Structure formats: C-alpha cells, structure tokens
Coordinates of all heavy atoms in Angstrom, one line a residue:
G174 N -8.9 -10.6 17.7 CA -9.7 -9.5 17.3 C -9.4 -9.0 15.9 O -8.5 -9.6 15.2
S175 N -10.0 -7.9 15.4 CA -9.9 -7.4 14.1 C -9.7 -5.9 14.1 O -10.2 -5.2 15.0 CB -11.2 -7.7 13.3 OG -11.4 -9.1 13.1
L176 N -9.0 -5.4 13.1 CA -8.9 -4.0 12.8 C -8.9 -3.8 11.3 O -8.5 -4.7 10.6 CB -7.6 -3.5 13.4 CG -7.4 -3.2 14.9 CD1 -6.0 -2.9 15.3 CD2 -8.4 -2.2 15.4
R177 N -9.3 -2.6 10.9 CA -9.2 -2.3 9.5 C -8.4 -1.0 9.4 O -8.8 0.1 9.9 CB -10.5 -2.1 8.8 CG -10.4 -1.9 7.3 CD -11.7 -1.8 6.6 NE -12.3 -0.4 6.7 CZ -13.2 0.1 5.9 NH1 -13.6 -0.7 4.8 NH2 -13.7 1.3 6.1
L178 N -7.3 -1.1 8.7 CA -6.4 0.1 8.5 C -6.9 0.8 7.1 O -7.3 0.1 6.2 CB -5.0 -0.3 8.4 CG -4.4 -1.0 9.6 CD1 -2.9 -1.3 9.4 CD2 -4.7 -0.3 10.9
S179 N -6.8 2.1 7.1 CA -7.1 2.8 5.9 C -5.9 3.7 5.6 O -5.1 4.2 6.5 CB -8.3 3.7 6.1 OG -9.4 3.0 6.4
C180 N -5.7 3.9 4.3 CA -4.6 4.9 3.8 C -5.2 5.7 2.7 O -5.5 5.1 1.6 CB -3.4 4.1 3.4 SG -2.1 5.1 2.7
T181 N -5.3 6.9 2.9 CA -5.9 7.8 1.9 C -4.8 8.6 1.2 O -3.9 9.1 1.9 CB -6.9 8.8 2.5 OG1 -8.0 8.0 3.1 CG2 -7.5 9.7 1.4
A182 N -4.8 8.7 -0.1 CA -3.8 9.3 -0.9 C -4.2 10.7 -1.4 O -5.4 10.9 -1.8 CB -3.4 8.4 -2.0
S183 N -3.3 11.6 -1.4 CA -3.4 12.8 -2.1 C -2.5 12.8 -3.3 O -1.2 12.7 -3.1 CB -3.1 14.0 -1.2 OG -3.1 15.2 -1.9
V184 N -3.0 12.8 -4.5 CA -2.2 12.7 -5.7 C -2.4 13.9 -6.6 O -3.5 14.5 -6.6 CB -2.6 11.4 -6.5 CG1 -2.2 10.1 -5.6 CG2 -4.0 11.3 -6.9
R185 N -1.4 14.2 -7.4 CA -1.5 15.3 -8.3 C -1.3 15.0 -9.8 O -2.1 15.2 -10.6 CB -0.5 16.4 -7.9 CG -0.8 17.0 -6.6 CD 0.2 18.1 -6.3 NE -0.1 18.8 -5.0 CZ 0.5 19.8 -4.5 NH1 1.6 20.3 -5.2 NH2 0.2 20.4 -3.4
K186 N -0.2 14.3 -10.1 CA 0.2 14.1 -11.5 C -0.6 13.0 -12.1 O -1.1 13.2 -13.3 CB 1.7 13.8 -11.6 CG 2.2 13.8 -13.0 CD 3.7 13.7 -13.0 CE 4.3 13.7 -14.5 NZ 5.7 13.6 -14.5
Y187 N -0.8 11.9 -11.5 CA -1.5 10.8 -12.0 C -2.7 10.4 -11.1 O -2.7 10.8 -9.9 CB -0.5 9.6 -12.1 CG 0.7 9.8 -12.9 CD1 1.9 10.0 -12.3 CD2 0.6 9.9 -14.3 CE1 3.1 10.2 -13.1 CE2 1.7 10.1 -15.1 CZ 3.0 10.3 -14.5 OH 4.1 10.5 -15.2
S188 N -3.6 9.7 -11.7 CA -4.8 9.3 -10.9 C -4.4 8.2 -9.9 O -3.4 7.5 -10.1 CB -5.9 8.8 -11.8 OG -5.4 7.6 -12.4
F189 N -5.1 8.1 -8.8 CA -4.8 7.2 -7.7 C -4.8 5.8 -8.3 O -4.0 4.9 -7.9 CB -5.9 7.3 -6.6 CG -5.7 6.2 -5.6 CD1 -4.8 6.3 -4.6 CD2 -6.6 5.2 -5.5 CE1 -4.6 5.4 -3.6 CE2 -6.5 4.2 -4.6 CZ -5.5 4.3 -3.6
S190 N -5.6 5.5 -9.3 CA -5.8 4.1 -9.8 C -4.5 3.7 -10.6 O -4.3 2.6 -10.9 CB -7.0 4.0 -10.8 OG -6.8 5.0 -11.9
S191 N -3.6 4.7 -10.9 CA -2.3 4.4 -11.6 C -1.2 3.9 -10.6 O -0.1 3.6 -11.1 CB -1.9 5.6 -12.3 OG -2.8 6.0 -13.3
Y192 N -1.5 3.9 -9.3 CA -0.5 3.5 -8.3 C -0.7 2.1 -7.8 O -1.8 1.8 -7.4 CB -0.5 4.6 -7.2 CG 0.1 5.9 -7.6 CD1 -0.8 6.9 -8.2 CD2 1.4 6.2 -7.5 CE1 -0.3 8.1 -8.6 CE2 1.9 7.4 -7.9 CZ 1.1 8.4 -8.4 OH 1.6 9.6 -8.9
D193 N 0.4 1.4 -7.7 CA 0.4 0.2 -6.8 C 0.4 0.7 -5.4 O 1.0 1.7 -5.1 CB 1.7 -0.6 -7.0 CG 1.8 -1.3 -8.4 OD1 0.8 -1.5 -9.0 OD2 3.0 -1.6 -8.8
M194 N -0.3 0.0 -4.6 CA -0.4 0.4 -3.1 C 0.0 -0.8 -2.3 O -0.3 -2.0 -2.6 CB -1.8 0.8 -2.8 CG -2.4 2.0 -3.6 SD -1.4 3.5 -3.3 CE -1.7 3.8 -1.6
G195 N 0.7 -0.5 -1.2 CA 1.1 -1.6 -0.3 C 1.1 -1.2 1.1 O 0.9 -0.1 1.5
W196 N 1.2 -2.3 1.9 CA 1.3 -2.2 3.4 C 2.6 -2.9 3.9 O 2.8 -4.0 3.4 CB 0.1 -2.7 4.1 CG -1.2 -1.9 4.0 CD1 -2.2 -2.1 3.1 CD2 -1.5 -0.8 4.8 NE1 -3.2 -1.2 3.3 CE2 -2.8 -0.4 4.3 CE3 -0.9 -0.1 5.8 CZ2 -3.5 0.7 4.9 CZ3 -1.6 1.0 6.4 CH2 -2.9 1.4 5.9
F197 N 3.3 -2.2 4.7 CA 4.5 -2.8 5.4 C 4.3 -2.6 6.9 O 3.5 -1.8 7.3 CB 5.8 -2.1 4.9 CG 6.2 -2.5 3.5 CD1 5.5 -2.0 2.4 CD2 7.3 -3.3 3.3 CE1 5.9 -2.3 1.1 CE2 7.7 -3.6 2.1 CZ 7.0 -3.1 1.0
R198 N 5.1 -3.4 7.6 CA 5.0 -3.2 9.1 C 6.4 -3.3 9.7 O 7.3 -3.9 9.1 CB 4.1 -4.2 9.8 CG 4.6 -5.6 9.7 CD 3.5 -6.5 10.2 NE 3.9 -8.0 10.2 CZ 3.1 -9.0 10.5 NH1 1.8 -8.7 10.8 NH2 3.5 -10.2 10.4
Q199 N 6.6 -2.6 10.8 CA 7.9 -2.7 11.5 C 7.7 -2.8 13.0 O 7.1 -1.9 13.6 CB 8.7 -1.4 11.2 CG 10.1 -1.4 11.7 CD 10.9 -0.3 11.2 OE1 10.4 0.7 10.6 NE2 12.2 -0.4 11.3
A200 N 8.1 -4.0 13.5 CA 8.0 -4.2 14.9 C 9.2 -3.6 15.6 O 10.3 -3.4 14.9 CB 7.9 -5.7 15.2
S201 N 9.1 -3.4 16.9 CA 10.2 -2.8 17.6 C 11.5 -3.6 17.5 O 11.4 -4.8 17.8 CB 9.8 -2.6 19.1 OG 10.8 -2.0 19.8
G202 N 12.5 -3.0 17.1 CA 13.8 -3.6 17.0 C 14.0 -4.5 15.8 O 15.0 -5.2 15.6
K203 N 13.0 -4.5 14.9 CA 13.1 -5.3 13.7 C 13.1 -4.4 12.4 O 12.7 -3.3 12.5 CB 12.0 -6.3 13.7 CG 12.0 -7.3 14.8 CD 11.0 -8.4 14.6 CE 11.1 -9.5 15.7 NZ 10.1 -10.6 15.5
E204 N 13.4 -5.0 11.3 CA 13.4 -4.3 10.0 C 11.9 -4.3 9.5 O 11.1 -5.1 9.9 CB 14.2 -5.0 9.0 CG 15.7 -4.9 9.3 CD 16.6 -5.5 8.2 OE1 16.1 -6.0 7.2 OE2 17.8 -5.3 8.3
R205 N 11.7 -3.3 8.7 CA 10.4 -3.2 8.0 C 10.1 -4.3 7.1 O 11.0 -4.7 6.3 CB 10.3 -1.8 7.3 CG 8.9 -1.4 6.9 CD 8.8 0.0 6.4 NE 9.3 0.9 7.4 CZ 9.2 2.3 7.2 NH1 8.7 2.8 6.1 NH2 9.6 3.1 8.2
E206 N 8.9 -4.9 7.2 CA 8.7 -6.1 6.3 C 7.4 -5.9 5.5 O 6.5 -5.2 5.9 CB 8.5 -7.4 7.2 CG 7.4 -7.4 8.1 CD 7.2 -8.7 8.9 OE1 8.0 -9.6 8.6 OE2 6.3 -8.8 9.7
F207 N 7.4 -6.6 4.4 CA 6.2 -6.5 3.5 C 5.0 -7.3 4.1 O 5.2 -8.3 4.7 CB 6.6 -7.2 2.2 CG 5.4 -7.4 1.3 CD1 4.9 -6.4 0.5 CD2 4.8 -8.7 1.2 CE1 3.9 -6.6 -0.4 CE2 3.8 -8.9 0.3 CZ 3.3 -7.8 -0.5
V208 N 3.8 -6.7 4.0 CA 2.6 -7.3 4.5 C 1.7 -7.7 3.3 O 1.3 -8.8 3.1 CB 1.9 -6.4 5.4 CG1 0.5 -7.0 5.8 CG2 2.7 -6.1 6.7
A209 N 1.4 -6.7 2.5 CA 0.5 -6.9 1.3 C 0.6 -5.8 0.3 O 1.0 -4.7 0.7 CB -1.0 -7.0 1.8
A210 N 0.2 -6.1 -0.9 CA 0.2 -5.1 -2.0 C -0.9 -5.4 -2.9 O -1.3 -6.5 -3.1 CB 1.5 -5.0 -2.7
I211 N -1.4 -4.3 -3.6 CA -2.4 -4.4 -4.6 C -2.0 -3.6 -5.8 O -1.6 -2.5 -5.7 CB -3.8 -4.0 -4.0 CG1 -4.9 -4.3 -5.0 CG2 -3.8 -2.6 -3.6 CD1 -6.3 -4.3 -4.4
N212 N -2.1 -4.2 -7.0 CA -1.6 -3.5 -8.1 C -2.5 -2.5 -8.7 O -3.7 -2.4 -8.4 CB -1.0 -4.4 -9.2 CG -2.1 -5.1 -10.0 OD1 -3.3 -4.9 -9.9 ND2 -1.7 -6.0 -10.9
W213 N -2.0 -1.7 -9.6 CA -2.8 -0.6 -10.2 C -3.8 -0.9 -11.2 O -4.8 -0.2 -11.4 CB -1.8 0.4 -10.8 CG -1.2 -0.1 -12.1 CD1 -0.2 -1.0 -12.2 CD2 -1.6 0.2 -13.4 NE1 0.1 -1.3 -13.5 CE2 -0.8 -0.6 -14.3 CE3 -2.6 1.0 -14.0 CZ2 -1.0 -0.5 -15.7 CZ3 -2.8 1.0 -15.3 CH2 -2.0 0.3 -16.2
G214 N -3.6 -2.1 -11.9 CA -4.4 -2.4 -13.0 C -5.7 -3.1 -12.6 O -6.7 -2.5 -12.2
R215 N -5.6 -4.4 -12.6 CA -6.8 -5.2 -12.3 C -7.0 -5.4 -10.8 O -7.9 -6.1 -10.4 CB -6.7 -6.6 -13.0 CG -6.7 -6.4 -14.5 CD -6.7 -7.8 -15.2 NE -6.7 -7.7 -16.6 CZ -6.8 -8.7 -17.4 NH1 -6.8 -10.0 -17.0 NH2 -6.8 -8.5 -18.7
G216 N -6.1 -4.8 -10.0 CA -6.2 -4.9 -8.6 C -5.8 -6.2 -8.0 O -6.3 -6.6 -6.9
G217 N -4.9 -6.9 -8.7 CA -4.4 -8.2 -8.2 C -3.7 -7.9 -6.9 O -3.0 -7.0 -6.7
A218 N -3.9 -8.8 -5.9 CA -3.3 -8.6 -4.6 C -2.3 -9.8 -4.3 O -2.5 -10.9 -4.7 CB -4.4 -8.5 -3.5
V219 N -1.4 -9.4 -3.4 CA -0.4 -10.4 -2.9 C -0.3 -10.1 -1.4 O -0.3 -9.0 -1.0 CB 0.9 -10.3 -3.7 CG1 1.6 -9.0 -3.5 CG2 1.9 -11.4 -3.2

C-alpha cells in the first residue's frame, strides 16, 4: 500500500525555503535512521 506523510513548518527568522528538510524513522527497539532529505536551494533530494 501507499501513504503520504506531510510536515508543515512554522518559521519566524528565515523563510521556509531556506531550510533543508528531512525525514527519519525509528522502529521499536532500534535507533532513529535517515530516510530522505531535500535541500533548501534547488531542491535536490537524497
């Protein structure tokens, strides 16, 4: 199946576009791990 997660930011000092944004996940009993990130500039993703 599929799901779409959303994350909405409330920012004050800088515009939202100036922030790198990322997703991590943590399974029960495990450490938090990197899932994906998108950078602030051209929106390059990893």
